[in-house]
């Protein structure tokens, strides 16, 4: 417990120092062979034959896809690494971090879970959707459980990175378009202010540690919903956990990456995620414009904001939701251009399996154009 308090105190007082950690040139240089990369979350159909999966990988590779980020177990990752090697397709282990409280081991440890401002534990209260089972970064047991999962996958030979996801708190605020999908007290959800049900980070350890530093229980703060020190204190707990997990990845000889919210300011406000201060090797912001009622300009804006706030020499891959574009191939092309023109190292599609032959033709065209 004392070690965690020390970590949070150091991070609270010296947050900007995280960004000054020198870039791991070994991992960064792996994405310097091309000017622009194409990748996707997902995998070939695991129920298909080996020959059929290889054919799918060949089709994606010929279009310019170089990386896949599948959410699968250890054995499947090993299989995909082997399959991908036939076409120089790298495999990243898409790995859930905080939102893993549905496991039997976690259920047996109720003190591991995140707690909201009403005192409700995410073990029993599932905000928005039933699969929201967030653990708390202030629980030592939860932190060790999460780090153990990272190390297990980081030991797999041949991985391009461990790709962290759900490395944040429960959404304090949903994107405006997403809010329309959820009911709230007999009406529609409208998050024009912070609502206690969705304001997480009030684990007993968090409250105790904050009081030890600042002399007051955060529950007693008059402006606790907006208090900048309380917000940053909670974000620092996630940051310190991320950076410990990055160290684990590097110890095991693999890179660390993460799916993060669209750009740093939005990430801090919406999910208490301060990713501009993380020691990751690669960043994959999920720039899903429709979630936030954004237009095409939103893709370029979010990409530029992320690139600006990252440590020099690190790589950002703009994540786009293919479904946002429907049959509008012109806008799909424009999204690729906006990611490229605003400094991204590449673009990542959610999901890889939603790409049609027409999409792949466009990707092939721009792979050639950007990498001549």
């Amino acid at each position: 417990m004392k070690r965690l308090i020390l970590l949070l105190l150091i991070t609270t007082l010296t947050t900007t120092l995280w960004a000054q950690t020198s870039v791991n040139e070994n991992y960064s240089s792996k994405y310097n062979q091309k000017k622009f990369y194409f990748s996707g979350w997902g995998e070939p159909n695991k129920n298909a034959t080996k020959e059929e999966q290889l054919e799918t990988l060949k089709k994606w590779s010929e279009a310019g896809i170089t990386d896949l980020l599948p959410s699968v177990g250890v054995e499947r990752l090993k299989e995909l690494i082997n399959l991908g090697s036939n076409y120089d397709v790298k495999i990243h282990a898409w790995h859930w971090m905080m939102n893993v409280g549905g496991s039997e081991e976690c259920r047996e440890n109720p003190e591991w879970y995140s707690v909201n401002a009403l005192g409700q534990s995410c073990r029993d209260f599932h905000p928005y959707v039933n699969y929201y089972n967030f653990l708390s970064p202030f629980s030592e047991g939860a932190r060790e459980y999460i780090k153990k999962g990272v190390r297990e996958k980081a030991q797999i030979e041949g991985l391009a990175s461990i790709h962290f996801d759900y490395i944040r708190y429960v959404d304090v605020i949903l994107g405006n378009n997403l809010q329309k999908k959820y009911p709230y007290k007999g009406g529609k959800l409208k998050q024009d202010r912070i609502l206690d049900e969705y304001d997480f980070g009030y684990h007993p350890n968090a409250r105790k540690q904050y009081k030890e530093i600042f002399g007051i229980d955060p529950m007693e703060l008059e402006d606790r919903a907006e208090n900048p020190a309380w917000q940053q204190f909670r974000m620092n707990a996630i940051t310190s956990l991320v950076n410990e997990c990055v160290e684990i990845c590097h110890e095991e000889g693999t890179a660390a990456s993460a799916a993060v919210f669209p750009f740093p300011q939005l990430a801090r406000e919406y999910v208490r995620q301060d990713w501009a201060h993380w020691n990751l090797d690669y960043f994959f912001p999920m720039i899903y414009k429709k979630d936030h009622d954004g237009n095409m300009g939103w893709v370029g804006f979010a990409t530029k904001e992320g690139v600006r706030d990252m440590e020099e020499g690190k790589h950002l891959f703009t994540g786009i939701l293919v479904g946002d574009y429907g049959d509008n191939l012109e806008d799909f092309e424009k999204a690729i251009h906006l990611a490229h023109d605003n400094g991204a190292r590449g673009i990542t599609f959610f999901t890889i399996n939603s790409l049609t032959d027409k999409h792949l033709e466009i990707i092939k065209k721009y792979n050639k154009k950007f990498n001549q």
Side-chain angles (χ1 to χ4, degrees), residues 175-225:
N176 191 54
N177 194 47
L178 293 175
Q179 291 181 35
K180 301 169 187 175
K181 300 178 180 180
Y182 296 96
Y184 182 72
K185 295 184 177 180
K188 292 184 178 180
L189 179 63
K190 182 64 176 176
Q191 293 174 318
D192 52 359
R193 66 191 188 284
I194 293 176
L195 303 173
D196 286 344
E197 294 94 322
Y198 309 113
D199 186 16
F200 279 77
Y202 291 81
H203 189 280
N205 290 348
R207 293 171 60 182
K208 179 183 177 184
Q209 291 161 25
Y210 186 88
K211 186 174 181 178
E212 288 176 355
I213 296 171
F214 296 99
I216 186 173
D217 184 331
M219 287 299 296
E220 298 174 5
L221 292 168
E222 292 183 6
D223 61 341
R224 63 174 167 78

Side-chain angles (χ1 to χ4, degrees), residues 41-319:
W41 284 285
E43 59 172 317
N45 182 357
K46 64 181 179 181
N47 296 318
T49 66
K50 179 180 179 180
E51 290 72 23
E52 289 169 336
Q53 292 183 63
L54 286 170
E55 187 61 33
T56 298
L57 287 167
K58 180 182 179 183
K59 180 173 72 171
W60 290 342
S61 176
E62 288 177 347
I65 302 294
T66 60
D67 294 73
L68 296 179
L69 302 97
S71 179
V72 296
V74 170
E75 293 309 312
R76 177 60 173 164
L77 284 168
K78 292 177 181 177
E79 182 181 357
L80 287 169
I81 290 168
N82 182 51
L83 291 171
S85 66
N86 290 277
Y87 299 103
D88 294 324
V89 174
K90 301 183 185 70
I91 304 298
H92 304 249
W94 179 5
H95 182 74
W96 286 25
M97 299 285 278
M98 307 309 299
N99 187 20
V100 290
S103 75
E104 183 177 348
E105 183 175 353
C106 290
R107 297 289 296 172
E108 293 173 351
N109 292 276
E111 72 280 5
W112 288 2
Y113 288 81
S114 195
V115 178
N116 67 14
L118 297 176
Q120 296 170 311
S121 169
C122 214
R123 181 180 185 274
D124 305 305
F125 171 63
H126 310 294
Y128 306 115
V129 289
N130 288 332
Y131 64 84
Y132 263 24
N133 297 278
F134 279 69
L135 302 184
S136 172
F138 290 96
S139 163
E140 284 283 7
R143 290 172 75 97
E144 291 306 313
Y145 177 82
I146 290 164
K147 289 189 287 186
K148 180 178 69 174
V150 169
R151 189 176 295 278
E152 179 186 22
K153 287 183 177 173
Q155 291 173 341
I156 300 172
E157 187 175 351
L159 276 177
S161 80
I162 304 298
H163 182 66
F164 308 155
D165 196 5
Y166 285 103
I167 182 63
R168 58 180 178 84
Y169 292 92
V170 169
D171 312 64
V172 187
I173 301 172
L174 291 173
N176 191 54
N177 194 47
L178 293 175
Q179 291 181 35
K180 301 169 187 175
K181 300 178 180 180
Y182 296 96
Y184 182 72
K185 295 184 177 180
K188 292 184 178 180
L189 179 63
K190 182 64 176 176
Q191 293 174 318
D192 52 359
R193 66 191 188 284
I194 293 176
L195 303 173
D196 286 344
E197 294 94 322
Y198 309 113
D199 186 16
F200 279 77
Y202 291 81
H203 189 280
N205 290 348
R207 293 171 60 182
K208 179 183 177 184
Q209 291 161 25
Y210 186 88
K211 186 174 181 178
E212 288 176 355
I213 296 171
F214 296 99
I216 186 173
D217 184 331
M219 287 299 296
E220 298 174 5
L221 292 168
E222 292 183 6
D223 61 341
R224 63 174 167 78
E226 302 288 352
N227 184 279
W230 174 229
Q231 288 187 26
Q232 189 65 54
F233 180 80
R234 286 177 286 174
M235 287 188 278
N236 290 347
I238 293 286
T239 295
S240 65
L241 177 58
V242 168
N243 291 337
E244 288 176 26
C245 289
V246 171
E247 290 181 9
I248 289 171
C249 291
H250 290 174
E251 286 172 7
E252 299 296 344
T254 191
S257 66
V260 294
F261 267 55
F263 56 92
Q265 179 56 32
L266 183 148
R268 288 188 286 265
E269 183 177 346
Y270 280 26
V271 293
R272 305 289 184 249
Q273 184 187 67
D274 194 14
W275 61 260
H277 292 116
W278 293 359
N279 293 338
L280 293 171
D281 301 296
Y282 322 126
F283 296 82
F284 292 74
M286 300 173 286
I287 302 177
Y288 303 163
K289 63 184 182 69
K290 281 192 175 181
D291 288 356
H292 306 276
D293 287 338
N295 61 5
M296 289 306 302
W298 204 85
V299 177
F301 172 84
T303 298
K304 187 174 183 178
E305 290 292 301
V307 170
R308 182 196 66 186
D309 285 6
M310 280 193 325
E311 181 183 353
E312 185 178 354
K314 293 198 174 183
H315 297 317
L316 180 147
F317 301 84
T318 297

